[in-house]
Short mmCIF file of all heavy atoms in Angstrom, two decimals:
data_model
loop_
_atom_site.label_atom_id
_atom_site.label_comp_id
_atom_site.label_asym_id
_atom_site.label_seq_id
_atom_site.Cartn_x
_atom_site.Cartn_y
_atom_site.Cartn_z
N ALA A 191 -5.01 11.78 -20.23
CA ALA A 191 -3.84 12.05 -19.39
C ALA A 191 -3.59 10.86 -18.49
O ALA A 191 -2.45 10.55 -18.30
CB ALA A 191 -4.18 13.31 -18.54
N ALA A 192 -4.62 10.33 -17.88
CA ALA A 192 -4.48 9.14 -17.02
C ALA A 192 -3.84 7.97 -17.81
O ALA A 192 -2.91 7.28 -17.35
CB ALA A 192 -5.82 8.71 -16.37
N GLU A 193 -4.28 7.74 -19.11
CA GLU A 193 -3.69 6.66 -19.87
C GLU A 193 -2.32 6.89 -20.11
O GLU A 193 -1.41 5.96 -19.95
CB GLU A 193 -4.49 6.63 -21.30
CG GLU A 193 -4.01 5.55 -22.18
CD GLU A 193 -4.54 5.63 -23.55
OE1 GLU A 193 -5.35 6.62 -23.78
OE2 GLU A 193 -4.31 4.78 -24.41
N LEU A 194 -1.82 8.09 -20.44
CA LEU A 194 -0.43 8.39 -20.78
C LEU A 194 0.42 8.20 -19.48
O LEU A 194 1.53 7.72 -19.51
CB LEU A 194 -0.30 9.77 -21.38
CG LEU A 194 -0.94 9.91 -22.71
CD1 LEU A 194 -0.92 11.47 -23.11
CD2 LEU A 194 -0.18 9.23 -23.74
N ALA A 195 -0.16 8.76 -18.40
CA ALA A 195 0.60 8.63 -17.11
C ALA A 195 0.77 7.23 -16.72
O ALA A 195 1.92 6.79 -16.21
CB ALA A 195 0.00 9.44 -16.01
N SER A 196 -0.30 6.38 -16.88
CA SER A 196 -0.12 5.02 -16.51
C SER A 196 0.87 4.15 -17.35
O SER A 196 1.33 3.11 -17.00
CB SER A 196 -1.53 4.31 -16.59
OG SER A 196 -2.01 4.15 -17.99
N ARG A 197 1.23 4.69 -18.53
CA ARG A 197 2.15 4.09 -19.50
C ARG A 197 3.56 4.49 -19.20
O ARG A 197 4.49 4.16 -19.83
CB ARG A 197 1.79 4.38 -20.88
CG ARG A 197 0.57 3.71 -21.41
CD ARG A 197 0.31 4.09 -22.81
NE ARG A 197 -0.88 3.38 -23.39
CZ ARG A 197 -1.37 3.62 -24.62
NH1 ARG A 197 -0.74 4.41 -25.40
NH2 ARG A 197 -2.49 2.97 -25.02
N GLY A 198 3.83 5.40 -18.15
CA GLY A 198 5.13 5.79 -17.77
C GLY A 198 5.52 7.18 -18.14
O GLY A 198 6.60 7.56 -17.88
N HIS A 199 4.56 7.90 -18.91
CA HIS A 199 4.87 9.26 -19.31
C HIS A 199 4.87 10.18 -18.09
O HIS A 199 4.14 9.98 -17.10
CB HIS A 199 3.87 9.85 -20.33
CG HIS A 199 3.93 9.17 -21.66
ND1 HIS A 199 4.62 9.58 -22.59
CD2 HIS A 199 3.36 8.03 -22.09
CE1 HIS A 199 4.59 8.88 -23.69
NE2 HIS A 199 3.70 7.79 -23.36
N SER A 200 5.72 11.17 -18.05
CA SER A 200 5.74 12.18 -16.97
C SER A 200 4.41 12.94 -16.90
O SER A 200 3.70 12.87 -17.98
CB SER A 200 6.88 13.24 -17.20
OG SER A 200 6.61 14.02 -18.22
N LEU A 201 4.14 13.49 -15.89
CA LEU A 201 2.83 14.25 -15.76
C LEU A 201 2.80 15.44 -16.76
O LEU A 201 1.80 15.78 -17.40
CB LEU A 201 2.68 14.76 -14.27
CG LEU A 201 2.19 13.71 -13.27
CD1 LEU A 201 2.03 14.32 -11.90
CD2 LEU A 201 0.96 12.99 -13.68
N THR A 202 4.03 15.98 -17.00
CA THR A 202 4.06 17.13 -17.93
C THR A 202 3.73 16.68 -19.33
O THR A 202 2.96 17.27 -20.07
CB THR A 202 5.44 17.75 -17.92
OG1 THR A 202 5.66 18.34 -16.61
CG2 THR A 202 5.61 18.90 -18.99
N ASP A 203 4.34 15.48 -19.71
CA ASP A 203 4.03 14.89 -21.07
C ASP A 203 2.55 14.41 -21.14
O ASP A 203 2.01 14.73 -22.17
CB ASP A 203 4.96 13.73 -21.34
CG ASP A 203 6.39 14.29 -21.60
OD1 ASP A 203 6.70 15.49 -21.84
OD2 ASP A 203 7.34 13.43 -21.57
N ALA A 204 2.15 13.88 -20.04
CA ALA A 204 0.73 13.41 -20.12
C ALA A 204 -0.25 14.67 -20.17
O ALA A 204 -1.21 14.58 -20.90
CB ALA A 204 0.39 12.71 -18.82
N ALA A 205 0.14 15.65 -19.52
CA ALA A 205 -0.69 16.93 -19.60
C ALA A 205 -0.78 17.42 -21.00
O ALA A 205 -1.82 17.82 -21.54
CB ALA A 205 -0.16 17.97 -18.59
N HIS A 206 0.39 17.56 -21.57
CA HIS A 206 0.46 18.16 -23.02
C HIS A 206 -0.25 17.22 -24.04
O HIS A 206 -0.91 17.68 -24.90
CB HIS A 206 1.93 18.25 -23.39
CG HIS A 206 2.71 19.42 -22.79
ND1 HIS A 206 4.12 19.52 -22.61
CD2 HIS A 206 2.26 20.52 -22.07
CE1 HIS A 206 4.44 20.50 -21.88
NE2 HIS A 206 3.34 21.10 -21.60
N GLY A 207 -0.06 15.79 -23.79
CA GLY A 207 -0.74 14.98 -24.60
C GLY A 207 -2.26 15.01 -24.62
O GLY A 207 -2.90 14.50 -25.46
N ALA A 208 -2.80 15.52 -23.41
CA ALA A 208 -4.19 15.53 -23.34
C ALA A 208 -4.75 16.93 -23.44
O ALA A 208 -5.96 17.19 -23.14
CB ALA A 208 -4.56 15.02 -21.89
N GLY A 209 -3.88 17.89 -23.85
CA GLY A 209 -4.43 19.16 -24.17
C GLY A 209 -4.41 20.17 -22.89
O GLY A 209 -5.03 21.23 -23.05
N PHE A 210 -3.70 19.78 -21.95
CA PHE A 210 -3.56 20.81 -20.79
C PHE A 210 -2.35 21.56 -20.91
O PHE A 210 -1.42 21.18 -21.65
CB PHE A 210 -3.56 20.03 -19.50
CG PHE A 210 -4.74 19.24 -19.04
CD1 PHE A 210 -4.94 17.94 -19.47
CD2 PHE A 210 -5.84 19.92 -18.44
CE1 PHE A 210 -6.20 17.27 -19.08
CE2 PHE A 210 -7.00 19.18 -18.10
CZ PHE A 210 -7.18 17.85 -18.46
N ALA A 211 -2.33 22.72 -20.33
CA ALA A 211 -1.25 23.67 -20.57
C ALA A 211 0.08 23.13 -20.14
O ALA A 211 1.16 23.27 -20.72
CB ALA A 211 -1.43 25.05 -19.83
N ASP A 212 0.06 22.52 -18.88
CA ASP A 212 1.28 21.92 -18.42
C ASP A 212 0.90 20.91 -17.26
O ASP A 212 -0.39 20.79 -16.98
CB ASP A 212 2.26 22.95 -17.76
CG ASP A 212 1.60 24.02 -16.93
OD1 ASP A 212 0.59 23.58 -16.22
OD2 ASP A 212 1.93 25.16 -16.88
N GLY A 213 1.88 20.33 -16.57
CA GLY A 213 1.64 19.40 -15.51
C GLY A 213 0.91 20.08 -14.32
O GLY A 213 -0.03 19.42 -13.68
N ALA A 214 1.23 21.28 -14.05
CA ALA A 214 0.51 22.03 -12.98
C ALA A 214 -0.95 22.19 -13.21
O ALA A 214 -1.80 22.09 -12.31
CB ALA A 214 1.17 23.38 -12.68
N HIS A 215 -1.26 22.47 -14.49
CA HIS A 215 -2.71 22.68 -14.89
C HIS A 215 -3.43 21.20 -14.76
O HIS A 215 -4.52 21.28 -14.18
CB HIS A 215 -2.72 23.11 -16.43
CG HIS A 215 -4.13 23.36 -16.85
ND1 HIS A 215 -4.47 23.32 -18.14
CD2 HIS A 215 -5.29 23.61 -16.20
CE1 HIS A 215 -5.75 23.59 -18.33
NE2 HIS A 215 -6.23 23.78 -17.17
N LEU A 216 -2.80 20.25 -15.17
CA LEU A 216 -3.44 18.94 -15.04
C LEU A 216 -3.74 18.53 -13.60
O LEU A 216 -4.71 18.12 -13.19
CB LEU A 216 -2.65 17.84 -15.75
CG LEU A 216 -2.98 16.38 -15.41
CD1 LEU A 216 -4.33 16.16 -15.96
CD2 LEU A 216 -1.93 15.48 -16.09
N SER A 217 -2.60 18.94 -12.75
CA SER A 217 -2.74 18.58 -11.40
C SER A 217 -3.93 19.38 -10.67
O SER A 217 -4.60 18.81 -9.93
CB SER A 217 -1.39 18.90 -10.63
OG SER A 217 -0.35 17.93 -10.99
N ARG A 218 -4.10 20.58 -11.05
CA ARG A 218 -5.16 21.43 -10.49
C ARG A 218 -6.52 20.83 -10.85
O ARG A 218 -7.43 20.75 -9.93
CB ARG A 218 -5.00 22.88 -10.95
CG ARG A 218 -3.84 23.76 -10.31
CD ARG A 218 -4.03 25.21 -10.65
NE ARG A 218 -4.14 25.52 -11.96
CZ ARG A 218 -3.02 25.79 -12.78
NH1 ARG A 218 -1.88 25.77 -12.18
NH2 ARG A 218 -3.15 26.12 -14.00
N VAL A 219 -6.64 20.49 -12.09
CA VAL A 219 -7.88 19.99 -12.55
C VAL A 219 -8.12 18.58 -11.80
O VAL A 219 -9.27 18.30 -11.38
CB VAL A 219 -7.97 19.76 -14.02
CG1 VAL A 219 -9.29 19.03 -14.52
CG2 VAL A 219 -7.91 21.12 -14.70
N TRP A 220 -7.16 17.80 -11.75
CA TRP A 220 -7.24 16.44 -11.13
C TRP A 220 -7.64 16.54 -9.62
O TRP A 220 -8.60 15.84 -9.17
CB TRP A 220 -5.92 15.71 -11.33
CG TRP A 220 -6.04 14.31 -11.07
CD1 TRP A 220 -6.06 13.56 -9.87
CD2 TRP A 220 -6.29 13.25 -12.02
NE1 TRP A 220 -6.29 12.25 -10.03
CE2 TRP A 220 -6.48 11.97 -11.35
CE3 TRP A 220 -6.47 13.24 -13.47
CZ2 TRP A 220 -6.63 10.79 -12.05
CZ3 TRP A 220 -6.66 12.10 -14.09
CH2 TRP A 220 -6.79 10.86 -13.41
N ARG A 221 -6.89 17.38 -8.92
CA ARG A 221 -7.20 17.70 -7.48
C ARG A 221 -8.64 18.17 -7.32
O ARG A 221 -9.32 17.82 -6.36
CB ARG A 221 -6.19 18.62 -6.91
CG ARG A 221 -4.83 18.06 -6.57
CD ARG A 221 -3.98 19.06 -5.92
NE ARG A 221 -2.73 18.49 -5.48
CZ ARG A 221 -2.50 17.97 -4.35
NH1 ARG A 221 -3.41 17.87 -3.50
NH2 ARG A 221 -1.24 17.47 -4.09
N ARG A 222 -9.09 19.07 -8.19
CA ARG A 222 -10.42 19.56 -8.06
C ARG A 222 -11.44 18.47 -8.30
O ARG A 222 -12.46 18.42 -7.68
CB ARG A 222 -10.63 20.63 -9.08
CG ARG A 222 -11.98 21.50 -8.87
CD ARG A 222 -12.11 22.66 -9.81
NE ARG A 222 -12.29 22.37 -11.22
CZ ARG A 222 -11.40 22.57 -12.25
NH1 ARG A 222 -10.23 23.13 -12.06
NH2 ARG A 222 -11.70 22.19 -13.42
N MET A 223 -11.14 17.54 -9.24
CA MET A 223 -12.05 16.46 -9.54
C MET A 223 -12.09 15.40 -8.39
O MET A 223 -13.16 14.91 -8.00
CB MET A 223 -11.80 15.84 -10.79
CG MET A 223 -12.07 16.63 -12.05
SD MET A 223 -13.77 16.64 -12.36
CE MET A 223 -13.75 17.44 -14.05
N PHE A 224 -10.91 15.07 -7.91
CA PHE A 224 -10.85 13.80 -7.12
C PHE A 224 -10.16 14.06 -5.71
O PHE A 224 -10.25 13.08 -4.94
CB PHE A 224 -9.93 12.77 -7.87
CG PHE A 224 -10.50 12.57 -9.25
CD1 PHE A 224 -9.57 12.79 -10.41
CD2 PHE A 224 -11.74 12.13 -9.57
CE1 PHE A 224 -10.05 12.52 -11.64
CE2 PHE A 224 -12.16 11.88 -10.81
CZ PHE A 224 -11.32 12.16 -11.86
N GLY A 225 -9.62 15.11 -5.35
CA GLY A 225 -9.21 15.44 -4.09
C GLY A 225 -7.77 14.90 -3.76
O GLY A 225 -7.36 15.21 -2.64
N ILE A 226 -7.14 14.14 -4.61
CA ILE A 226 -5.81 13.67 -4.39
C ILE A 226 -5.02 13.95 -5.58
O ILE A 226 -5.56 14.03 -6.82
CB ILE A 226 -5.74 12.31 -3.99
CG1 ILE A 226 -6.29 11.29 -5.05
CG2 ILE A 226 -6.49 12.04 -2.67
CD1 ILE A 226 -6.13 9.81 -4.71
N PRO A 227 -3.72 14.12 -5.61
CA PRO A 227 -2.86 14.43 -6.82
C PRO A 227 -2.84 13.27 -7.78
O PRO A 227 -2.95 12.06 -7.32
CB PRO A 227 -1.42 14.67 -6.16
CG PRO A 227 -1.41 14.01 -4.93
CD PRO A 227 -2.85 14.06 -4.27
#
Side-chain angles (χ1 to χ4, degrees):
E193 177 189 5
L194 291 172
S196 69
R197 291 181 179 178
H199 292 268
S200 69
L201 287 181
T202 297
D203 288 343
H206 290 159
F210 294 94
D212 50 33
H215 182 204
L216 170 61
S217 292
R218 286 195 300 274
V219 174
W220 196 278
R221 281 180 177 272
R222 189 173 75 243
M223 288 285 192
F224 309 122
I226 60 177

